[in-house]
Amino acid sequence: MTTSADSPATRLATRLSFLVAGFGISCWAPLVPFAKERLQIDSAMLGLLLLCIGIGSILAMLATGPISARYGGKPVIVTSGIALALILPLLTIAATPVTLGGALLLFGAALGSLDVAMNVHAVEVERAAPVPLMSGFHALFSIGGFAGAALMTIFLSLKVSALAGSLVCAAIMLGAMLIAWPRLLPAVRGEEGPLFVRPHGVVVLLAVLAMATFLAEGAMLDWSALLITQMGLVGATHGGLGYILFAIAMTTGRLLGDALTARLGDYRTLLGGGLVAVAGFAVLLSVPVAPIALGGFLLIGLGASNIVPVLFRIAGAQTQMPPALAIGAITTLGYAGILAGPAGIGVVAEAVGLRAAFWILAVLLLLVPFTARRTTRAAQA
């Protein structure tokens, strides 16, 4: 099948790639307690095993950008997407911490490779289109996350074994990849020159902004429940409400993001999104009325929703580095923010308090509107 970059087929294939990535990682989350019980390990050992996902992802990301730059994203997307599906069931039967750690390392590598390659592919597809598409692609990752976690949770609640549930989820992922395979672009502009280039120029700024945004997103997942219970906004049983509001707003913002970006442009999207997200932190941290304070999560989600998609678009348009290498650098540093962020916030919270740590996140996000003009000029150069 000969596929044009600007066609419904390539858009479908790109959306399916994002869907599989979000679906795959979220299928693992409900299985974590079962793995802990099966292996009879303590929380410290579990934490080390979970770190294997991050290590595998970052190592794979470092290699995927250069490989995609030279050979195109399609072979990486297909290989890593299929690998993600095949490894998932292995996580449910690994009988020792060593085998589970190895499986998680490979699982993380597949996820990291897919993450970089699908964004490289998405930039190429969007470049050929007359309208923005990147936010919609990223929305499919969020939708896949909801779907994977929900489906696996339903299976487990119906007493379906972890292995059987994971096999069904793996089959869904394989089916999606088989649909996407012939519709992916056969090549995305092969880049000549060195495979490894140190990030420089505006790519460093893009990576820092991505890290700050991903750090804020990670804080919502890992620390928001503790924050709002410590502040007395909700009881312990309702601590997850904040992240739920954030996730709904994030997904909604991305579903509407392409139309919004087409209307406002990248500069105003970054400027407005950054300011709205910071305003959300201010509302959350300073308003003592619970319903209003919790509304801050909606503002944070809506504001942050389209920052990363715009940063990827700019990375694909800038000329200071090969686009695939720039996207690889941004993805790697952004993921490092999610990986190291929770521990870093914990250290800061221990020193100055969790509320103050969240104010620091708000200050970091101010970098987005403050640098919006300089960032978007890179795409126009």
Side-chain angles (χ1 to χ4, degrees):
M1 179 185 295
T2 301
T3 307
S4 166
D6 183 22
S7 71
T10 55
R11 297 181 189 186
L12 173 63
T14 310
R15 291 186 179 105
L16 287 174
S17 301
F18 277 81
L19 187 72
V20 165
F23 188 88
I25 188 61
S26 66
C27 283
W28 161 243
L31 296 172
V32 172
F34 291 84
K36 185 175 186 295
E37 181 180 356
R38 184 177 73 252
L39 299 179
Q40 293 295 298
I41 55 177
D42 58 22
S43 296
M45 175 59 71
L46 179 62
L48 290 175
L49 290 175
L50 295 177
L51 188 61
C52 291
I53 295 179
I55 294 172
S57 292
I58 290 179
L59 291 176
M61 286 174 178
L62 290 171
T64 302
I67 291 171
S68 296
R70 180 64 58 87
Y71 303 108
K74 179 175 181 175
V76 181
I77 292 173
V78 172
T79 302
S80 56
I82 292 175
L84 195 69
L86 295 179
I87 296 168
L88 177 63
L90 300 181
L91 304 180
T92 69
I93 59 174
T96 67
V98 172
T99 55
L100 180 58
L104 288 172
L105 195 71
L106 294 175
F107 191 70
L111 180 67
S113 295
L114 180 58
D115 202 337
V116 173
M118 70 190 187
N119 275 292
V120 172
H121 191 272
V123 165
E124 193 70 13
V125 171
E126 186 188 58
R127 183 185 287 122
V131 294
L133 298 172
M134 190 64 73
S135 292
F137 292 150
H138 281 257
L140 265 293
F141 182 92
S142 299
I143 292 171
F146 285 134
L151 184 59
M152 186 62 74
T153 300
I154 289 171
F155 283 146
L156 295 174
S157 66
L158 294 175
K159 307 302 182 183
V160 176
S161 71
L163 175 59
S166 66
L167 287 172
V168 174
C169 291
I172 293 172
M173 295 163 65
L174 287 173
M177 291 310 305
L178 290 175
I179 294 172
W181 189 340
R183 294 168 175 83
L184 292 165
L185 294 176
V188 292
R189 295 189 311 172
E191 302 283 354
E192 298 299 330
L195 284 178
F196 291 92
V197 178
R198 182 175 58 84
H200 58 273
V202 75
V203 175
V204 176
L205 175 59
L206 293 173
V208 169
L209 297 179
M211 179 180 285
T213 307
F214 278 125
L215 179 57
E217 292 182 21
M220 293 297 105
L221 176 62
D222 294 299
W223 290 100
S224 62
L226 183 59
L227 174 73
I228 60 179
T229 53
Q230 283 185 355
M231 292 173 62
L233 297 175
V234 298
T237 57
H238 294 88
L241 180 59
Y243 181 73
I244 291 172
L245 293 173
F246 168 80
I248 291 172
M250 172 73 77
T251 304
T252 302
R254 285 181 169 172
L255 287 171
L256 302 174
D258 291 327
L260 182 70
T261 306
R263 184 179 182 85
L264 298 180
D266 287 345
Y267 166 66
R268 284 189 286 182
T269 299
L270 287 179
L271 177 65
L275 291 175
V276 168
V278 172
F281 273 100
V283 169
L284 170 63
L285 298 170
S286 61
V287 177
V289 182
I292 298 176
L294 292 175
F297 285 107
L298 295 174
L299 293 177
I300 296 169
L302 287 172
S305 60
N306 294 298
I307 293 175
V308 169
V310 170
L311 294 178
F312 276 117
R313 179 183 301 118
I314 294 172
Q318 56 79 39
T319 57
Q320 298 181 21
M321 281 183 66
L325 299 184
I327 291 168
I330 292 171
T331 307
T332 303
L333 289 177
Y335 195 87
I338 290 180
L339 187 63
I345 291 171
V347 172
V348 174
E350 185 67 24
V352 298
L354 187 55
R355 198 169 184 169
F358 268 67
W359 276 115
I360 293 172
L361 290 175
V363 173
L364 287 175
L365 271 184
L366 275 175
L367 290 171
V368 175
F370 282 167
T371 62
R373 179 70 71 184
R374 179 184 174 188
T375 303
T376 50
R377 281 176 179 167
Q380 302 165 358

